[in-house]
Amino acid sequence: MSETPDLVVVGAGPAGLAAAVTALAGGLSVALIDSGTAVGGQYWRHPPDHARPAIPTADLHHRLREYRALRRALSTARARGRLDLRPAHHVWSVTRDDDGFTVHAVDRRRAPEETAVSLRAPRLLVATGAYDRQLPFPGWDLPGVLTVGGLQALLKGGGVAAGRRVALGGTGPFLLPVAAGLASRGVEVAAVCEAAGPSAWLRQPGPLLRNPAKWAEGARYGLTLARHGVRLRPRTAIVAADGTDRVTSVRIASLASDGSPRPGTERRVEVDAVGVGWGFAPQLDLLLPLGCDLTDSGDGNAVVAVDTGQRTTVPGLYAAGEVCGVGGARLSLAEGRLAAGSVLADHGTAPVLGRRRLAATRATVTGQRAFARAMARAHPIPPGWAKWLTDDTLLCRCEEVTVGAVRAARADGGASDHRQVKQLTRSGMGWCQGRICGPAVHCLVAPHRPYAPTERLIATPVTLGVLADLDGAGENTEGAAHE
C-alpha cells in the first residue's frame, strides 16, 4: 500500500488488532505498526513462526480462536492492498498538524541495520498497552530478579523458564497465570506472595459475580497450582533478595494491614529466579506530547481521557486498551472496536457495528471497566510498602540513586513529585527514562496522586544516523511487511 492510509494504528496487541480489523471491514486503508516481530502484543506473544512447532505454548494462551480470526482478517486485507503491516517498527515520535499526524518510526526488521520511516494519516489510533509496575526492595537489582511480565514473556516467546526454583511476589491476578505457566513447565514455584488479603474481593463481590469468566479462569489457575503443590500466600510480600553474582534467596514476610512487614515473620526462601509485579503502568509516551487530557484510573495511574467512542481530547486522535486503563484483553478488544467505529463515523463511512452489536460492545466496556475498578480497590499498592526499604536500597538503577537520596530530596529539597526528584537526584535520567523507577519514586513522594510519566519528545532510543535520515523517511514506503 503506497498511498497515504486513512488511519495509522500504533500497537498490535488486542486493542490495536481489533481496531485495525474493524476499520478495514469498514473500507478504510490502515497502517498497523508494532515494535514486536509479529502481531499479538504481550497478551498473544508467541515464538517466531518458524519455531512454533518445536515450542508449543498454546496452553499459555486464551481466546486463541479470536486471535486467529483477527490474523486471517489482516492477511486478507494485506492481499487486497489495503493494509500496510509494519512489525519491528519502533515509534519514537508523533507530530500533529492541520492535515493529521506524522508517525516517526525506526524499522529494525534487519537489525542491527536501522532505517528511518515516517507515515502520515489524517487519523491516528494509539494502543500501546502497559508495562509492569515495580516497587524496589533491597536486592532487587540482582541478576535473576525479573518482572512477572518478563517471566511470562520468556515462557510465551521462547518456552524458556527463567529458573528452576522461582518465587513470585506483588499483587494482582496476574501472579496466577505466571505461576501456573511456570509450574506446568516443571518449575518449582517456591512461593507466590500476594500482598492483598482474600477478604478484599468479598467486600465487593458484585463485579466478580457479574464476570463469571473471570472467576472461572482464576479457579483453573488455582487448580493448576494445587495440582503442583504451589501455595498462594496472602498478605505476604518479598521484602528483600540476597546473593552475590545473582539472586540465591529471597526474604518474605507477613504484612500488617498497612502493608508494612510484621516483626518476627520474616523467613528466607532459596530460589534462583524471582518475579515481581505490582500491577501495570500505561504506556503514554506517544500521547502526552500531543496534549491529550488525562484522568485518574483509580489504580494509582493517570490514563488518557476518552469519550464513549474512545476519542481523546485531541481531534483525530483515538486511544484504546490499557492506555485508557488496565482491564484485560476482553476490555481492550471491545475498546479497539469502539475506537474504530468512531473513526469510521468521523470519516463519514457506514458503520460496521450494527446497533445491537454496538450496544453489546459498549456494555462490555462498561462491565469490564467496573471489574477493573474493583480489581484496583482489591489489589492496591500497600501504603506501608516503603517500610521494607533501607536508605541504601537502589531506587533508580540506571543512575544508581538510592532511596535515601530520594527521601532527602523530599525532606530537604521540598520535592513534591517525581519530576522534581529527577531534577535534584537524576533519578529517571538513565536508559529507561524513568519507566522502571518513575512509579516507585512517585509512590514515595506523592502516594495520594495518580502517577503520570514525564513527557518525552523521543519515546524510544534512536541513533543519530536515524535522525539524520529523516529527510528521506517520508519516502520510505517499502514493504507492507509479511506477518
Side-chain angles (χ1 to χ4, degrees):
M1 185 180 71
S2 59
E3 69 276 7
T4 299
D6 298 312
L7 172 69
V8 171
V9 178
V10 181
L17 285 179
V21 168
T22 303
L24 288 164
L28 299 186
S29 57
V30 176
L32 177 59
I33 306 175
D34 194 86
S35 60
T37 56
V39 300
Q42 300 302 317
Y43 183 72
W44 282 316
R45 177 189 285 268
H46 286 80
D49 285 344
H50 69 274
R52 290 188 189 185
I55 309 175
T57 60
D59 61 310
L60 300 175
H61 290 279
H62 299 277
R63 310 177 74 98
L64 279 177
R65 181 178 299 177
E66 191 161 13
Y67 167 69
R68 290 165 182 151
L70 291 167
R71 281 188 58 151
R72 285 194 299 271
L74 293 183
S75 296
T76 299
R78 261 200 89 249
R80 294 174 178 172
R82 293 180 36 242
L83 172 68
D84 182 358
L85 180 59
R86 300 271 184 156
H89 279 59
H90 297 244
V91 177
W92 60 270
S93 180
V94 176
T95 56
R96 176 175 175 254
D97 54 35
D98 293 338
D99 298 327
F101 301 86
T102 301
V103 177
H104 299 284
V106 179
D107 180 355
R108 292 177 174 150
R109 286 175 294 167
R110 301 178 182 88
E113 178 186 341
E114 297 186 344
T115 306
V117 174
S118 294
L119 297 173
R120 288 189 52 79
R123 292 178 176 85
L124 171 68
L125 195 156
V126 176
T128 44
Y131 56 92
D132 293 84
R133 181 169 58 188
Q134 292 296 289
L135 297 180
F137 52 85
W140 77 310
D141 53 325
L142 283 169
V145 180
L146 294 84
T147 66
V148 285
L151 290 176
Q152 190 187 65
L154 288 172
L155 278 179
K156 286 185 173 183
V160 175
R164 296 183 301 274
R165 182 175 167 87
V166 180
L168 304 179
T171 192
F174 188 49
L175 293 173
L176 298 180
V178 177
L182 289 169
S184 67
R185 293 301 189 274
V187 175
E188 182 182 357
V189 181
V192 181
C193 301
E194 166 59 69
S199 62
W201 279 104
L202 299 178
R203 291 193 295 269
Q204 44 185 0
L208 185 61
L209 294 176
R210 288 191 291 271
N211 287 274
K214 296 286 189 182
W215 56 259
E217 181 181 344
R220 288 195 298 271
Y221 293 139
L223 289 173
T224 299
L225 297 179
R227 188 166 62 248
H228 291 278
V230 178
R231 178 185 170 190
L232 179 66
R233 302 174 183 270
R235 291 199 178 281
T236 306
I238 296 172
V239 298
D242 298 301
T244 50
D245 296 332
R246 61 173 294 113
V247 63
T248 56
S249 66
V250 293
R251 283 173 270 163
I252 66 175
S254 298
L255 301 181
S257 58
D258 69 346
S260 59
R262 290 185 180 276
T265 64
E266 185 176 301
R267 69 189 197 80
R268 189 181 300 273
V269 177
E270 292 186 359
V271 296
D272 59 4
V274 182
V276 185
W278 296 90
F280 299 90
Q283 186 81 14
L284 303 179
D285 291 349
L286 300 180
L287 293 162
L288 291 177
L290 294 173
C292 296
D293 285 355
L294 303 181
T295 188
D296 187 353
S297 66
D299 64 354
N301 290 306
V303 298
V304 64
V306 293
D307 66 9
T308 56
Q310 303 300 128
R311 299 175 181 88
T312 74
T313 54
V314 175
L317 178 62
Y318 310 78
E322 295 181 324
V323 293
C324 306
V326 176
R330 189 180 177 198
L331 174 59
S332 293
L333 287 161
E335 288 183 348
R337 294 187 180 102
L338 280 184
S342 296
V343 173
L344 291 168
D346 297 344
H347 190 266
T349 304
V352 172
L353 302 177
R355 183 177 301 176
R356 186 172 299 178
R357 189 180 175 196
L358 178 61
T361 304
R362 285 178 171 162
T364 296
V365 169
T366 299
Q368 293 301 303
R369 282 182 175 166
F371 181 85
R373 288 192 295 270
M375 183 173 65
R377 290 191 295 268
H379 296 277
I381 291 177
W385 73 274
K387 293 181 181 178
W388 65 59
L389 300 176
T390 60
D391 277 348
D392 61 353
T393 302
L394 278 183
L395 201 162
C396 173
R397 297 184 292 191
C398 297
E399 294 293 318
E400 298 185 347
V401 178
T402 64
V403 168
V406 173
R407 285 171 170 163
R410 181 186 183 188
D412 304 330
S416 60
D417 62 24
H418 65 281
R419 294 173 179 83
Q420 292 177 329
V421 171
K422 178 179 180 179
Q423 294 168 351
L424 295 171
T425 68
R426 293 187 58 84
S427 64
M429 295 184 72
W431 183 257
C432 83
Q433 288 289 287
R435 290 174 178 84
I436 301 298
C437 67
V441 172
H442 181 82
C443 286
L444 278 179
V445 299
H448 303 299
R449 298 204 304 268
Y451 168 73
T454 303
E455 180 181 325
R456 307 179 185 96
L457 297 180
I458 296 179
T460 187
V462 292
T463 64
L464 293 176
V466 166
L467 295 177
D469 206 22
L470 282 179
D471 286 342
E475 301 172 0
N476 188 350
T477 56
E478 177 200 350
H482 288 284
E483 190 176 337

